[in-house]
Amino acid sequence: QVQLAESGGGLVQPGGFLRLSCAASGNIFSIYTMNWYRQAPGKQRELVAGITTGGGTNYADSVKGRFTISRDNAKNTVYLQMNSLKPEDTAVYYCFVVVTSAGGIRYRYWGQGTQVTVSP
């Protein structure tokens, strides 16, 4: 079993910044990908950004140029630096991790979510 501990959400004014963190612990052989999703009220959950073990990244068009995803493989931790925040970034942000077992099986885990609110 793997546990994900998220932190860094909060209330920020438009144009401000926040940094989210998600640390994975437990029975981890290797982590395949680490990702951030978000879900706003009344909307579907959407991928915000993802990063592979090798550092390859992908971003939603709506956050390109403003958000940066990074990871510390030694700490099994993924970060999301969010700059120039807009009210439409308001959502619950979820960490999503794909872990590979010693036997080569991949397992998927979700964090509990952290609220990000962008408001004057």
Side-chain angles (χ1 to χ4, degrees), residues 11 14 31 41 65 70 72 83-84 105:
L11 172 65
I31 297 179
S70 61
D72 184 331
N83 298 329
S84 302
I105 299 173

Side-chain angles (χ1 to χ4, degrees), residues 51-62:
I51 185 167
T52 65
T53 303
T57 59
N58 62 290
Y59 296 92
D61 288 342
S62 60

